[in-house]
Amino acid sequence: VWDAGNLPHLRSASVFIRSIDEALALAARDELSQLTSLSIAFRCGLSGSSPFEPFLGNIIEPDEAAADAFFSKAGLDQLDRLAIIGYSMGYWGREGMGRLGLDALISSGLLQRLKHLRLQLLPLGDKGVATLAPASS
């Protein structure tokens, strides 16, 4: 849809990112500056194993690299709602970006403008989530 033409009235989007190249291509789109709501899922790799420590989940390094590429380059000037969705692995497990991806989000300066942030099924653990508090004020 992004490549189909000009999308001048687009205010909301839900996207899957499957590679760093896709993250960079999306970040370069001018239409992002008009979005007020974005739901994004990084699906650049899978592990499939189910570790139990320190929490139930796998950090996927290509997802983190794609998140870094996207959040460092995307012009999300009007965005006030963001959802970042991980991947469910059965009942408790999850995979996706971790602390490095979260650090990229924090470094982007986007958190201060958001009115709504949803992090779903991400292997962040308590320490990962705790890093958001000082960055969002």
Side-chain angles (χ1 to χ4, degrees):
V1 171
W2 290 101
D3 293 330
N6 190 9
L7 304 169
H9 301 293
L10 191 64
R11 299 288 182 253
S12 176
S14 295
V15 295
F16 284 91
I17 300 294
R18 297 173 297 175
S19 69
I20 293 175
D21 290 339
E22 283 187 4
L24 290 170
L26 179 61
R29 297 297 301 216
D30 291 335
E31 294 90 350
L32 287 182
S33 66
Q34 301 172 32
L35 293 181
T36 58
S37 178
L38 175 64
S39 177
I40 191 166
F42 297 97
R43 296 290 188 274
C44 303
L46 293 172
S47 169
S49 65
S50 294
F52 290 99
E53 297 294 332
F55 48 86
L56 298 171
N58 298 309
I59 294 170
I60 305 298
E61 290 181 20
D63 288 0
E64 295 213 293
D68 183 44
F70 179 77
F71 289 118
S72 67
K73 305 247 186 279
L76 300 165
D77 304 328
Q78 302 298 316
L79 199 70
D80 63 10
R81 297 179 66 87
L82 175 64
I84 304 172
I85 315 297
Y87 179 76
S88 176
M89 295 176 15
Y91 188 72
W92 292 106
R94 54 201 176 267
E95 290 188 339
M97 71 171 220
R99 293 280 306 272
L100 294 177
L102 195 58
D103 288 345
L105 171 63
I106 292 167
S107 295
S108 74
L110 184 60
L111 289 176
Q112 289 80 17
R113 291 195 323 266
L114 292 179
K115 294 178 183 173
H116 180 337
L117 173 65
R118 185 177 92 206
L119 303 174
Q120 181 177 338
L121 297 172
L122 293 173
L124 297 173
D126 293 341
K127 289 182 182 178
V129 174
T131 62
L132 286 174
S136 60
S137 58

